[in-house]
Amino acid sequence: MAKQYYVMKKIIILLFVSLLLIQCKIKPTPEIVKIGLIADSAMVVSARQEASAIGVAILIKGGNAFDAMIATDLALVVAYPFAGNIGGGGFTVYRTKDGKVGSFDYREKAPLAATRDMYLDENGDVIPNKSTLGALAIGVPGTVAGLFMIHKKFGTLPFSELIQPAIDLARRGVVVTKRQARGMNKYRKYFEEANKRTIFLDKEWNEGDTIKYLKLAETFERIRDNGRYEFYKGKTADILVNYVQNLGGIITLEDLEEYEAKERDPIVFNYKNARIISMSPPASGGICIAQILKSIEPFDIGQYKHNSIEYIQLITEAERRSYADRAYFLGDPDFNNIPIDSLSSSTYNNKRMQNFSWDNATKSSDVSHGNIEIIESDQTTHYSIIDQFGNAIAVTNTLNGAFGSKVFVEEGGFFLNNEMDDLSAKPGEPNMFGLIGAEANAIEPEKRMLSSMTPTIVEQNGKLKMVLGSPGGSTIITSVLQNILNVIEYDMGMQESVSQTRFHHQWMPDDIKFEPKFDTITFAELRSKGYKIDQSNSRILGKVDAILVLPDGRLEGGADPRGDDKAVGF
Ligand code: DON
């Protein structure tokens, strides 16, 4: 009887998910939703309903979170070409059902032919757009290597079954949302500049149009049949290299052949009674979150009202100091000796906060990196998954800018990243996110570029509590930080938390960026203390997709209303 009930339940869920998949219609998301989707056992929250539903369908089939991750990731390539990719890279942080934690790094690398000054003119000045638009901006993609590495270690269903829903979706086509239509029309002139032609130039896009990705379906089919080899050595590698080189790019077959994804130890630290597991370099998110939380821990921030003047001051000052360190110390760990333990220690960060004053803003120009002895020896998408077995995954992937370099490999049906801009074109000069890098992040062949991505998992009292992450370039770190605090310090639900307005400081430029709806404080008081305020009209800070484990064990999704994001679960 119990078994029959279970089978019935499974069929009903399957029918529901199939309906979602077929329908593919996005309902408008209300601006502020207090409670997110609640599910009993499993959930996927991603940038698109189609991708979340595909991930959940894999879970219903009996796959685990890692299987669902692969299917969701590939579905995002189709449903969310803005950032979902096989032509970019990313990071995955996981916590298995028995509490083991780890991470995968499939960040792009600089091509072998990259040179330190490749984006500078004869006067040594950065040439505008060279590291962001077109073929020279592309780093060697890592996503496909990452997916196969994850599948090899944790996958339980055949890869062919995990890629098939994305193939079907690409052939069936994806309905364009209002935001997507706006995005594709906005970048039209860049698509024109970066390519000979692409399907994105076919027409002016409207909400409700359907785009079919037939070439991408063929690429996926070849990957399904030939495995990892296809992307790095097979026909797809040839197509990619020919296309890029014809546009003046420097990526070679050797670059693709040499690319390897890596397993890395995540950054793990305690904040009060929470244990936080986040991404380590070449992502800066884990270290920066650790630094900021360690800096504010002695101040017991929860005693101040959420988003109050005191709250903003404390966080801003901690962010200022952490981003100054980020600029100096962080880069590819395979090229640099990064003092991770010292940087994230309480002692070091408490010392950095010694000159913090409630009366006056510290000036960023007076803040440099801290003194640590080194002993020798910006478009993105995040999704969160918890499966019915208790495995949790936080995945952040990126092409860097919207549609990456805007180079769309026509024959292969996919965009390529412009991740080279995350390396320092000129140490000391800001990149497209205003971030400054130093020698640690200078361009070198085969170097992974420093990232702000922050896929993160939080435990409380030894149990899984939350899975989260965000896109948003330099604002990723501070968006993740604020959501950790919303839940840990202010006891918010997941949807309530992601719907809150946010602010951001990154050392340089020396201003606090606020989302337009931020109205809980008067800025006059902050100004009187010497803080500069930047509140542009259309600004969005991050787009957080997260899952919270409720006290009774059920899951609450937080799908950011800033996008078309959607939680699906059962
Ligand atoms: O890795 C990084 O930090 C950037 N490439 C992320 C870019 C990004 O989040 C853009 N999204 N809105």
Side-chain angles (χ1 to χ4, degrees):
M1 199 57 197
K3 193 165 174 216
Q4 266 176 341
Y5 169 75
Y6 181 69
V7 172
M8 274 304 288
K9 193 174 163 195
K10 233 174 154 176
I11 291 172
I12 291 170
I13 294 167
L14 210 73
L15 277 173
F16 171 71
V17 171
S18 315
L19 214 73
L20 279 181
L21 287 175
I22 295 163
Q23 202 191 24
C24 290
K25 267 222 156 83
I26 305 287
K27 294 203 187 78
T29 319
E31 273 295 297
I32 293 280
V33 185
K34 273 262 163 120
I35 298 181
L37 178 77
I38 307 275
D40 287 336
S41 340
M43 191 177 283
V44 179
V45 191
S46 82
R48 284 291 301 242
Q49 176 179 345
E50 296 87 336
S52 299
I54 282 175
V56 165
I58 292 293
L59 295 176
I60 290 169
K61 249 185 155 180
N64 64 17
F66 300 94
D67 296 316
M69 176 261 169
I70 293 163
T72 306
D73 213 275
L74 293 163
L76 282 168
V77 183
V78 187
Y80 196 62
F82 191 69
N85 68 77
I86 51 173
F91 299 102
T92 292
V93 172
Y94 65 85
R95 180 186 187 275
T96 62
K97 58 181 187 299
D98 38 17
K100 288 201 188 74
V101 300
S103 69
F104 296 98
D105 161 3
Y106 40 99
R107 179 70 160 165
E108 300 91 326
K109 293 172 79 163
L112 285 158
T115 56
R116 188 183 164 93
D117 297 340
M118 62 189 279
Y119 301 117
L120 305 184
D121 64 16
E122 59 281 6
N123 302 320
D125 295 326
V126 177
I127 303 168
N129 295 341
K130 206 170 175 187
S131 64
T132 56
L133 181 65
L136 272 180
I138 304 165
V140 184
T143 298
V144 174
L147 295 185
F148 276 96
M149 180 178 257
I150 291 167
H151 185 253
K152 191 165 174 206
K153 189 162 171 121
F154 288 118
T156 60
L157 297 179
F159 198 92
S160 56
E161 278 184 39
L162 305 177
I163 198 169
Q164 196 58 45
I167 297 173
D168 297 342
L169 185 64
R171 289 205 182 283
R172 196 167 59 237
V174 181
V175 179
V176 173
T177 67
K178 195 171 168 189
R179 282 191 182 87
Q180 271 183 318
R182 208 189 306 133
M184 290 189 299
N185 294 336
K186 177 173 157 197
Y187 291 106
R188 196 181 173 80
K189 73 172 187 286
Y190 300 112
F191 295 147
E192 254 166 358
E193 239 176 270
N195 298 277
K196 299 205 165 84
R197 74 159 300 277
T198 99
I199 50 171
F200 293 95
L201 288 172
D202 285 354
K203 67 190 286 287
E204 190 76 13
W205 296 98
N206 296 307
E207 179 183 10
D209 288 345
T210 297
I211 311 186
K212 295 185 179 177
Y213 296 90
L214 303 180
K215 287 292 178 191
L216 180 60
E218 286 172 21
T219 299
F220 279 168
E221 279 162 353
R222 291 194 304 274
I223 293 176
R224 176 194 63 197
D225 298 341
N226 305 324
R228 181 195 189 282
Y229 174 93
E230 172 60 31
F231 191 85
Y232 291 96
K233 293 183 191 166
K235 182 172 173 190
T236 306
D238 290 335
I239 291 173
L240 190 162
V241 168
N242 277 338
Y243 193 80
V244 170
Q245 291 190 352
N246 273 336
L247 293 173
I250 54 172
I251 291 185
T252 60
L253 284 172
E254 196 187 349
D255 279 313
L256 289 176
E257 262 177 48
E258 298 221 332
Y259 186 87
E260 293 291 347
K262 293 204 167 183
E263 284 194 62
R264 303 225 185 246
D265 289 333
I267 301 285
V268 182
F269 64 95
N270 292 323
Y271 171 72
K272 297 193 171 170
N273 68 349
R275 182 171 175 253
I276 292 164
I277 302 122
S278 191
M279 194 63 216
S280 53
S284 58
I287 292 188
C288 290
I289 293 272
Q291 289 196 295
I292 298 167
L293 287 175
K294 291 288 177 195
S295 300
I296 65 174
E297 196 168 16
F299 295 88
D300 192 14
I301 196 163
Q303 67 178 298
Y304 303 110
K305 202 169 151 270
H306 183 252
N307 282 350
S308 60
I309 300 275
E310 292 85 355
Y311 180 92
I312 293 165
Q313 268 191 279
L314 250 186
I315 290 180
T316 296
E317 294 301 342
E319 287 173 352
R320 188 194 307 283
R321 288 155 176 82
S322 169
Y323 275 80
D325 279 348
R326 178 194 190 280
Y328 181 76
F329 289 109
L330 303 190
D332 184 345
D334 298 339
F335 284 70
N336 298 286
N337 206 334
I338 302 173
I340 293 180
D341 292 342
S342 309
L343 279 174
S344 45
S345 73
S346 298
T347 323
Y348 171 75
N349 289 292
N350 296 345
K351 211 162 137 206
R352 294 275 281 162
M353 287 294 277
Q354 269 169 7
N355 60 353
F356 160 68
S357 148
W358 288 110
D359 302 329
N360 293 306
T362 309
K363 286 199 178 70
S364 285
S365 50
D366 294 342
V367 175
S368 173
H369 58 85
N371 289 321
I372 290 180
E373 191 189 352
I374 301 180
I375 298 158
E376 285 302 330
S377 63
D378 257 293
Q379 277 332 55
T380 305
T381 188
H382 174 86
Y383 56 93
S384 297
I385 302 180
I386 297 180
D387 69 15
Q388 62 276 35
F389 311 109
N391 298 302
I393 321 195
V395 185
T396 316
N397 278 340
T398 189
L399 285 167
N400 196 23
F403 306 102
S405 59
K406 319 292 184 279
V407 172
F408 182 77
V409 183
E410 182 73 10
E411 234 344 80
F414 55 90
F415 279 105
L416 289 166
N417 68 82
N418 59 347
E419 221 69 62
M420 288 298 283
D421 189 63
D422 272 348
L423 285 163
S424 297
K426 183 176 177 184
E429 293 270 323
N431 72 356
M432 64 188 257
F433 299 109
L435 288 168
I436 292 172
E439 285 306 319
N441 195 34
I443 302 174
E444 287 183 68
E446 295 202 89
K447 192 188 252 187
R448 283 164 149 88
M449 41 302 271
L450 181 59
S451 170
S452 300
M453 292 193 274
T454 316
T456 299
I457 294 176
V458 179
E459 284 176 11
Q460 219 170 16
N461 305 318
K463 288 198 181 131
L464 178 63
K465 173 86 177 167
M466 182 170 39
V467 185
L468 77 167
S470 178
S474 56
T475 69
I476 293 174
I477 299 168
T478 55
S479 300
V480 170
L481 170 87
Q482 286 168 82
N483 278 277
I484 293 175
L485 292 173
N486 289 346
V487 170
I488 300 292
E489 294 283 3
Y490 296 93
D491 218 16
M492 288 186 202
M494 201 68 265
Q495 189 62 50
E496 186 185 3
S497 170
V498 304
S499 305
Q500 297 297 314
T501 44
R502 299 194 270 261
F503 64 94
H504 168 81
H505 194 287
Q506 60 177 49
W507 177 50
M508 300 283 190
D510 189 354
D511 55 24
I512 313 178
K513 298 185 194 324
F514 287 91
E515 287 184 321
K517 291 216 172 87
F518 203 103
D519 57 3
T520 55
I521 50 141
T522 54
F523 294 132
E525 193 173 341
L526 281 174
R527 286 201 179 96
S528 73
K529 290 170 191 277
Y531 291 97
K532 289 188 200 95
I533 311 291
D534 173 7
Q535 193 179 32
S536 317
N537 260 336
S538 56
R539 170 168 302 121
I540 277 175
L541 297 174
K543 193 159 70 70
V544 176
D545 283 344
I547 307 174
L548 181 66
V549 182
L550 300 172
D552 64 3
R554 289 180 307 155
L555 309 174
E556 188 198 347
D560 204 316
R562 291 162 181 82
D564 300 318
D565 306 44
K566 193 82 184 170
V568 178
F570 61 89

